[in-house]
Amino acid sequence: MISKSIGIVGARGHTGAELIRLVQAHPGLELAFVSSRELAGERVADHIDGFAGDLRYESLDAEGVAAKGADAVVLALPNGKAAPYVEALDAAKPDTVIVDLSADYRFNEAWYYGLPELTRGLWRGQKKVSNPGCYATAIQLSVEPLKDLLAAPPVSFGVSGYSGAGTTPSDKNDPEKLRDNLIPYTLTGHTHEREASRHLGVPVEFLPHVAPHFRGLTVTTNIYVARPVKVEDIAARFRQRYASEPLVKVLDEAPWVSRIAHKHHAEVGGFTVSNDGKRVVVVATLDNLLKGAATQAMQNLNQVLGFDEFTAIPKD
């Protein structure tokens, strides 16, 4: 198998840690560097269970990352921080594969938007990949099989574990403030609302909340349809659409967020239809750190680097 070198910027975060584990297990990828200002000088093995080797975190600016000359770089940075790294990599080695986990390039036509189950056929050899948002992934998987039936914008109610709020301290990732609580936020115009709307090609309304659990999210989507439907026909649509997708599992019952933690796939189910047949409800769950971020990034890396898409991704 061919060998490619890869670096991770923003490796201290929850998603960075998951990516390190996936890369470590990949037979064709070599982890060339991991960049973290806060952990600079410390051994990766002291922070990542099961990691083998003496690799240490480094504090690298954009030019430092570009100077490493890696075949691929994953940017696991907060929104608004990716551009200097992209510019430096373009200047030093334009053919570097870049997978950006932030929202910075999800609206940029020059970048491939990598939600493989829905967009892999749109890949045209781009080296720059924008990794979808976790909520946006769940919303799109819930709505796409019913797009031709829509009578109104779907409305998605989402609840995520607090790992989705990152590691920078805030009310949304403070376990004490979240105890016995549910915090709503950005109830109109959320980035993932705009993202899902853009890539589905239909408007979506999204209501996010954060809960006391650490990882995993659930999205319940209410969909009004233009003609009466039967629940068995809705379920059949989803089963047919995702029949060949190992990382999307279609269930009869509503999936539970507690059952998706540490899993690499998404689950969609709980299909319910109103008595008049004109309202459909769909429930989707995924681990926001895996299928919502690191696992999806690995799918995209595999595709762009020429590996089988599911290499190093555990079968749940």
Side-chain angles (χ1 to χ4, degrees), residues 118-236:
L118 303 184
T119 68
R120 74 167 67 86
L122 302 176
W123 182 59
R124 297 293 181 265
Q126 298 97 318
K127 299 288 188 178
K128 295 183 175 68
V129 180
S130 180
N131 217 59
C134 53
Y135 272 131
T137 296
I139 293 168
Q140 290 177 80
L141 292 174
S142 299
V143 173
E144 200 275 342
L146 304 179
K147 273 176 57 175
D148 63 310
L149 295 177
L150 298 180
V155 179
S156 296
F157 178 91
V159 180
S160 175
Y162 63 85
S163 60
T167 56
T168 301
S170 72
D171 288 352
K172 291 187 293 182
N173 59 19
D174 184 334
E176 287 305 313
K177 292 181 179 177
L178 285 166
R179 189 186 303 277
D180 300 322
N181 196 9
L182 187 70
I183 299 178
Y185 64 99
T186 320
L187 296 177
T188 63
H190 189 283
T191 299
H192 292 186
E193 176 181 278
R194 294 185 286 111
E195 176 187 343
S197 297
R198 175 185 177 89
H199 293 285
L200 281 169
V202 298
V204 173
E205 298 167 0
F206 174 50
L207 308 166
H209 299 69
V210 63
H213 65 278
F214 179 68
R215 62 195 299 157
L217 64 79
T218 183
V219 171
T220 300
T221 301
N222 190 73
I223 301 170
Y224 286 98
V225 292
R227 59 175 174 79
V229 296
K230 296 180 179 179
V231 69
E232 55 266 29
D233 295 332
I234 297 300

Side-chain angles (χ1 to χ4, degrees), residues 14-315:
H14 303 310
T15 299
E18 297 293 352
L19 269 168
I20 289 171
R21 295 185 181 98
L22 287 170
V23 172
Q24 167 95 343
H26 198 294
L29 292 179
E30 178 186 356
L31 193 56
F33 68 88
V34 287
S35 177
S36 168
R37 185 176 63 253
E38 295 86 350
L39 299 179
E42 299 185 31
R43 295 174 68 248
V44 175
D46 292 337
H47 293 270
I48 306 296
D49 292 340
F51 185 86
D54 293 322
L55 187 69
R56 293 178 181 270
Y57 295 95
E58 301 177 73
S59 180
L60 299 172
D61 61 10
E63 286 69 29
V65 167
K68 291 287 187 178
D71 295 312
V73 174
V74 178
L75 302 176
L77 295 166
N79 292 343
K81 303 292 186 182
Y85 294 89
V86 174
E87 292 166 6
L89 289 164
D90 277 348
K93 188 181 175 186
D95 63 343
T96 303
V97 172
I98 304 173
V99 177
D100 179 37
L101 271 61
S102 78
D104 292 7
Y105 295 95
R106 293 175 190 159
F107 302 88
N108 188 320
E109 292 291 343
W111 286 57
Y112 167 62
Y113 179 75
L115 203 174
E117 290 77 13
L118 303 184
T119 68
R120 74 167 67 86
L122 302 176
W123 182 59
R124 297 293 181 265
Q126 298 97 318
K127 299 288 188 178
K128 295 183 175 68
V129 180
S130 180
N131 217 59
C134 53
Y135 272 131
T137 296
I139 293 168
Q140 290 177 80
L141 292 174
S142 299
V143 173
E144 200 275 342
L146 304 179
K147 273 176 57 175
D148 63 310
L149 295 177
L150 298 180
V155 179
S156 296
F157 178 91
V159 180
S160 175
Y162 63 85
S163 60
T167 56
T168 301
S170 72
D171 288 352
K172 291 187 293 182
N173 59 19
D174 184 334
E176 287 305 313
K177 292 181 179 177
L178 285 166
R179 189 186 303 277
D180 300 322
N181 196 9
L182 187 70
I183 299 178
Y185 64 99
T186 320
L187 296 177
T188 63
H190 189 283
T191 299
H192 292 186
E193 176 181 278
R194 294 185 286 111
E195 176 187 343
S197 297
R198 175 185 177 89
H199 293 285
L200 281 169
V202 298
V204 173
E205 298 167 0
F206 174 50
L207 308 166
H209 299 69
V210 63
H213 65 278
F214 179 68
R215 62 195 299 157
L217 64 79
T218 183
V219 171
T220 300
T221 301
N222 190 73
I223 301 170
Y224 286 98
V225 292
R227 59 175 174 79
V229 296
K230 296 180 179 179
V231 69
E232 55 266 29
D233 295 332
I234 297 300
R237 276 179 174 246
F238 278 83
R239 293 189 188 284
Q240 180 178 8
R241 179 63 182 82
Y242 299 124
S244 61
E245 299 295 348
L247 297 186
V248 180
K249 298 187 179 181
V250 179
L251 312 178
D252 290 325
E253 66 276 12
W256 289 10
V257 70
S258 63
R259 295 172 180 166
I260 205 67
H262 303 284
K263 303 293 186 180
H264 293 266
H265 66 275
E267 295 184 348
V268 185
F271 309 112
T272 306
V273 174
S274 61
N275 288 338
D276 64 3
K278 292 187 176 181
R279 177 184 167 216
V280 177
V281 179
V282 180
V283 181
T285 62
L286 53 79
D287 187 316
N288 53 296
L289 302 179
L290 294 177
K291 181 56 180 164
T295 302
Q296 196 138 256
M298 183 56 73
Q299 287 179 267
N300 287 320
L301 284 165
N302 281 330
Q303 179 169 355
V304 178
L305 291 172
F307 301 108
D308 179 273
E309 182 183 315
F310 306 102
T311 303
I313 296 174
K315 293 180 173 64

